[in-house]
Amino acid sequence: AKRGWRERLSGSAFARGLSALFTRHPKLDDELLDELETTLIGADVGVETSSALVEDLRRRMHKREFADADALLAALRQALVARLAPVQQPLRPDGAKPFVVLVVGINGVGKTTTIGKLARRWRDEGREVLLAAGDTFRAAAVEQLKTWGERNGVPVIAQGQGADAASVIFDALQAARSRGADVLIADTAGRLHTQGGLMDELSKIARVLKKLDPDAPHEVLMVIDGTTGQNALSQVRQFRQLVGVTGLVVTKLDGTAKGGVVFALAREFGLPIRFVGLGEQATDLQPFDAEAYVDGLLP
Ligand code: GDP
């Protein structure tokens, strides 16, 4: 599985930029480091992180710590892994039954796909999973979840479009309890008419869940699209004002994502990155692994 990461991440601006840089400029000098900084910033790593990383490498290079480009790359690898290691905190849906996961994020980021992939993963691990079609704002979202559930034999609790999301999710938690399910994954709207409407809806969902289980939701998982760069950061900032996000999923890192946004997210929020999406197949949602990720980006 770890080998798949390299294959999926090699198309990113980060991986391509770095590989081109070290081929073109294998000599250890200040120009190499200037270009390295530009490459990292261009790959969405963020200005502060890129500058701090490069200045540390520059200081060490001037002290002749690196014999060659490989030694410099090894130091870069270590520094990058160190920045991601703190956010590598896997999500195991245990410790409560049912373990309630509320999935939030704006439309189009891969929320429904991620719910399907998570359901598959946890079911394949032997858990009984139930889904709640809580994005009642979009008829297509309810249909998409139901279709997925039918195809995969995972029950989906849904009401019609326009139904009260909190009521759907409350019913689903009751159903999950009476069936003895292990995990309930609840979809939520990605956008309502107003930001205030979404905030009211999410807080109402949290409130009604707590009537049945004071600790629910056990995880509020925010899904973000890795191809949207700085925009992904502002989405997290916005959602954190609406609801207490406890973990992130970064999708589409296999496509046109630049690759660096994960570093910017780790620096700015320090929120656990639970999973990353490396493709459209069910098995392409992988628990975040800092070393595999960095190794996938480096030449
Ligand atoms: P939602 O509106 O947030 O529910 O988004 P969807 O789940 O419908 O996903 C939107 C599109 O993104 C779909 O075409 C998915 O197949 C695609 N997608 C989701 N996750 C990934 C991923 O990790 N990699 C790639 N390449 N595509 C993804």
Side-chain angles (χ1 to χ4, degrees), residues 207-230:
R207 208 164 56 236
V208 303
L209 284 173
K210 286 188 197 315
K211 288 189 185 170
L212 292 176
D213 179 349
D215 295 326
H218 305 94
E219 174 82 0
V220 178
L221 205 51
M222 177 165 183
V223 182
I224 46 185
D225 178 340
T227 64
T228 58
Q230 296 301 311

Side-chain angles (χ1 to χ4, degrees), residues 106-114 117 138 144 250-255 276-280 284:
I106 73 160
N107 297 336
V109 294
K111 199 149 48 90
T112 316
T113 310
T114 297
K117 288 172 175 174
R138 286 189 303 167
Q144 200 184 338
V250 189
T251 63
K252 308 185 197 179
L253 287 171
D254 53 305
V276 288
L278 299 171
E280 302 198 63
D284 292 334

Side-chain angles (χ1 to χ4, degrees), residues 98 100 130-134 155-159 165-179 181 183-186 209 212:
V100 181
L130 199 74
L131 301 181
V156 178
I157 305 296
Q159 293 172 15
S167 135
V168 173
I169 295 174
F170 183 84
D171 282 357
L173 179 52
Q174 270 181 325
R177 285 183 144 188
S178 63
R179 293 174 195 212
V183 188
L184 171 66
I185 309 175
L209 284 173
L212 292 176

Side-chain angles (χ1 to χ4, degrees), residues 52-166:
L53 279 173
V54 168
E55 284 327 302
D56 182 58
L57 292 175
R58 197 187 300 276
R59 190 179 49 77
R60 293 164 65 183
M61 182 184 77
H62 288 160
K63 287 200 308 190
R64 306 196 182 285
E65 214 177 286
F66 309 129
D68 53 21
D70 283 343
L72 177 87
L73 271 169
L76 175 62
R77 176 187 188 274
Q78 203 176 33
L80 291 172
V81 171
R83 287 180 186 258
L84 295 184
V87 298
Q88 178 184 322
Q89 298 174 42
L91 175 65
R92 290 188 196 86
D94 304 318
K97 190 178 161 114
F99 188 93
V100 181
V101 182
L102 207 59
V103 183
V104 304
I106 73 160
N107 297 336
V109 294
K111 199 149 48 90
T112 316
T113 310
T114 297
I115 291 172
K117 288 172 175 174
L118 280 175
R120 260 288 282 280
R121 164 177 291 271
W122 288 335
R123 186 197 62 186
D124 291 351
E125 288 174 1
R127 296 183 179 87
E128 194 170 326
V129 180
L130 199 74
L131 301 181
D135 182 356
T136 55
F137 195 66
R138 286 189 303 167
V142 177
E143 284 316 309
Q144 200 184 338
L145 211 61
K146 275 202 214 159
T147 308
W148 189 91
E150 274 159 26
R151 236 185 261 138
N152 291 276
V154 174
V156 178
I157 305 296
Q159 293 172 15
Q161 190 202 358
D164 178 35

